[in-house]
Amino acid sequence: MNKLGRTPIVDLLRSALAGSSVNVAGWVRTRRDAREFSFLEINDGSCLANLQVVVAEHCAGYEHIREASTGSAVEIVGVLIESPGKGQRVELQASALRIVGGCPEDYPLQKKRHSDEFLREIGHLRSRTNKYGALFRIRSRLSFAVHEFFQRRGFHYIHTPIITGADCEGAGEMFRVTTLSGTEGGRQFGADDFSGDFFGKPAHLTVSGQLAVETFCLALSKVYTFGPTFRSENSNTSRHASEFWMIEPEIAFADLEDDMLLAESFVRHLLEFLQTDCREDLALFTQFVDPELADRLRNVLEAEFARVSYTEAIEILASSRHTFEFEPIWGRDLQSEHERYLTEQHFKGPVFVYDWPKEIKAFYMRQNADGKTVAAMDLLVPKIGELIGGSQREERHDYLLERINALGFKAADYWWYLDTRRFGSAPHAGFGLGFERLLMFATGISNIRDVIPFPRSPRNLEF
Ligand code: 4AD
Ligand code: MG
């Protein structure tokens, strides 16, 4: 029982004994009326299953039973009995019913099943459905598993800033943060004099906590950050969100090989945790969303993660009989059709693609001896494509400075980052895992908007 004397339904269904008196509170999923009693199905979000409640004439508050409509909030006191019916171990024989909040007929979740598109329009209510309730419980449990994985291994959790003065990826896909209105100070919004703005310089929402977490890595050795990141890329795909959560570990005295080993054990840990901890919720996704989900998860856990260099990957793609919309050419980024071919058709499981052309990767990645590639890796998984992007970082001051200059960035903007390469620099590596992509992989849900509570994408900012 909790402080209010109520028992979560999950505890009642799993462990409470028949004969115990309990007090539950939740929302009515359905009501079926017979002549002298009614059945209520109550859900409190503590688990997927509902509690069946029998409310008979002798129950206090029975006169209000018609107000216990689908969607209404109720509180019930009663005695658990062994259920004579099928489908549940116990049910509740109510002795008192209280309507906490009624729910009129225009409640949009009257039916059992609704399309994802419709539910996206009612993001404030969709977590009351079985599917989204299950999804957001999984999201919560996997967040816990992320922390558990790192904390058990001695990593320190660093809260990297949300508002930043640096563009980590150098890709310029950033949202500006300003307190200026359009023409304040006589200057047009977008002018390059920021003296009148809040920070006196350009400020943006972060695209990645990496540069900040790297500085802590070179002090605490094993660190990670897990927080929201923001990208203004105008790609309206099912795998891109404008606001998403990223997990970014960073390890000192480590190279790309160590980075891939860490990434593999991390992904395995999360999927193993999911299968044991979220069994009931997970089964819903295999049953109603993606029939191949259970097999796919099992295969991933049984398979070795394959490894292939970018150069070999291009050769595999170029020599395959598959027709791609975009020709695979060395020096170009992999398209999602290429990623999917490699992981689904060729390797039939997760694959690390490493050593990428330096021209298409970020400035901070460590240059390889061939002068053409950098020590970068992407982890590709079936159905999703890129789940992780990471690299060994350029720890050599002069190489880093040369790259910053070659790309036309201002070295002065990166003074603190460059400093860490002057004062006790050490090889280090890290990666970023997109949490929503992981959830898509874990549940078979195919649109990123359906795995985050309130999705943000171009032209979409409701709630
Ligand atoms: O490959 P990315 O851009 O790498 C970085 O940001 C590095 N700074 C990470 C690091 O080394 N610490 O992004 C990492 C991952 C991608 O593999 C993808 O899973 C996810 O973040 N991601 C997105 N997820 C949803 N919506 C978007 N717009 C995403 N962009 C990247
Ligand atoms: Mg990437």
Side-chain angles (χ1 to χ4, degrees):
M1 273 203 195
N2 65 19
K3 224 168 41 197
L4 299 168
R6 283 188 212 110
T7 312
I9 288 174
V10 64
D11 295 346
L12 290 183
L13 295 180
R14 286 207 187 134
S15 50
L17 296 175
S20 20
S21 304
V22 295
N23 178 348
V24 296
W27 292 268
V28 175
R29 282 295 175 80
T30 57
R31 190 187 78 231
R32 282 179 292 133
D33 298 320
R35 244 154 72 91
E36 282 153 9
F37 59 92
S38 295
F39 280 122
L40 298 178
E41 292 284 334
I42 308 291
N43 190 284
D44 66 357
S46 61
C47 63
L48 183 63
N50 300 328
L51 176 68
Q52 178 162 296
V53 183
V54 186
V55 188
E57 275 177 322
H58 58 76
C59 169
Y62 181 71
E63 64 278 17
H64 296 293
I65 189 71
R66 304 222 158 257
E67 294 161 48
S69 52
T70 296
S72 58
V74 295
E75 186 176 1
I76 296 160
V77 179
V79 176
L80 275 188
I81 56 166
E82 265 170 48
S83 178
K86 278 203 196 119
Q88 62 275 321
R89 190 177 62 84
V90 288
E91 62 184 41
L92 186 64
Q93 195 102 58
S95 55
L97 163 73
R98 186 165 76 88
I99 309 293
V100 178
C103 189
E105 269 170 22
D106 59 348
Y107 178 58
L109 298 175
Q110 301 286 356
K111 285 193 302 170
K112 275 242 153 158
R113 294 193 79 171
H114 303 271
S115 72
D116 292 325
E117 290 73 19
F118 170 75
L119 292 172
R120 231 172 269 151
E121 308 275 305
I122 50 165
H124 58 307
L125 297 174
R126 69 176 174 173
S127 46
R128 297 191 192 187
T129 63
N130 281 344
K131 178 170 163 184
Y132 288 93
L135 178 87
F136 290 112
R137 276 188 300 275
I138 288 178
R139 188 175 167 116
S140 164
R141 294 302 294 167
L142 280 180
S143 304
F144 167 75
V146 165
H147 289 293
E148 186 192 41
F149 176 87
F150 289 117
Q151 296 285 339
R152 284 229 177 118
R153 284 164 180 75
F155 283 68
H156 301 288
Y157 179 30
I158 307 299
H159 295 117
T160 50
I162 305 291
I163 300 176
T164 168
D167 174 1
C168 170
E169 294 304 297
E173 287 165 335
M174 306 185 85
F175 291 101
R176 178 173 292 172
V177 177
T178 180
T179 49
L180 291 183
S181 63
T183 52
E184 209 166 316
R187 291 188 191 287
Q188 288 297 320
F189 183 74
D192 36 355
D193 179 355
F194 291 86
S195 53
D197 204 349
F198 190 87
F199 295 106
K201 60 182 286 196
H204 296 90
L205 295 178
T206 188
V207 294
S208 158
Q210 179 195 324
L211 301 195
V213 96
E214 270 189 62
T215 69
F216 280 80
C217 173
L218 293 171
L220 306 185
S221 290
K222 291 197 281 187
V223 294
Y224 69 106
T225 180
F226 179 12
T229 51
F230 309 86
R231 295 195 187 179
S232 62
E233 54 197 325
N234 203 356
S235 47
N236 235 324
T237 80
S238 58
R239 302 180 313 143
H240 290 86
S242 312
E243 178 177 300
F244 64 98
W245 285 63
M246 190 160 38
I247 298 134
E248 297 181 274
E250 194 74 28
I251 42 179
F253 308 102
D255 60 14
L256 191 67
E257 172 67 23
D258 300 312
D259 204 31
M260 290 193 278
L261 287 173
L262 179 67
E264 178 165 347
S265 55
F266 181 46
V267 171
R268 281 185 188 285
H269 174 83
L270 296 179
L271 297 182
E272 273 159 16
F273 176 92
L274 172 77
Q275 290 189 318
T276 50
D277 188 89
C278 311
R279 198 179 294 273
E280 187 190 33
D281 285 328
L282 188 59
L284 175 146
F285 291 93
T286 300
Q287 196 180 348
F288 295 112
V289 176
D290 179 357
E292 285 157 28
L293 176 66
D295 286 341
R296 198 166 51 248
L297 291 174
R298 198 170 323 110
N299 286 346
V300 166
L301 285 176
E302 282 165 9
E304 285 282 305
F305 288 20
R307 295 188 188 191
V308 66
S309 71
Y310 167 88
T311 303
E312 289 164 314
I314 291 291
E315 282 161 12
I316 291 170
L317 294 166
S319 61
S320 83
R321 296 219 182 87
H322 195 89
T323 15
F324 295 108
E325 190 185 336
F326 295 91
E327 200 186 332
I329 294 177
W330 201 98
R332 298 212 188 137
D333 208 354
L334 294 186
Q335 299 292 322
S336 113
E337 55 173 346
H338 303 141
E339 295 173 349
R340 304 270 309 254
Y341 179 85
L342 289 168
T343 173
E344 289 167 18
Q345 313 283 323
H346 190 86
F347 291 100
K348 300 190 189 332
V351 52
F352 285 107
V353 180
Y354 61 89
D355 288 352
W356 289 68
K358 74 172 180 191
E359 302 306 333
I360 57 172
K361 287 291 186 187
F363 74 95
Y364 52 70
M365 297 183 176
R366 193 178 197 278
Q367 293 187 54
N368 287 326
D370 62 13
K372 293 189 301 192
T373 62
V374 286
M377 60 91 164
D378 275 7
L379 176 66
L380 313 180
V381 297
K383 287 271 281 191
I384 306 296
E386 180 188 339
L387 175 65
I388 285 179
S391 63
Q392 184 172 341
R393 318 306 188 189
E394 185 56 82
E395 88 284 12
R396 298 163 298 184
H397 178 273
D398 295 352
Y399 281 82
L400 184 62
L401 183 60
E402 179 264 316
R403 227 28 221 143
I404 288 175
N405 288 330
L407 289 166
F409 300 164
K410 285 196 218 118
D413 290 346
Y414 293 91
W415 69 271
W416 52 274
Y417 191 67
L418 284 160
D419 249 13
T420 59
R421 273 63 175 172
R422 292 177 54 227
F423 305 138
S425 187
H428 60 290
F431 63 80
L433 178 145
F435 193 48
E436 286 70 25
R437 299 230 179 134
L438 176 82
L439 283 162
M440 292 168 74
F441 185 65
T443 60
I445 286 187
S446 56
N447 195 317
I448 198 164
R449 289 169 209 189
D450 297 334
V451 296
I452 187 165
F454 295 108
R456 275 85 180 84
S457 55
R459 313 241 138 247
N460 173 25
L461 185 64
E462 197 61 55
F463 312 109

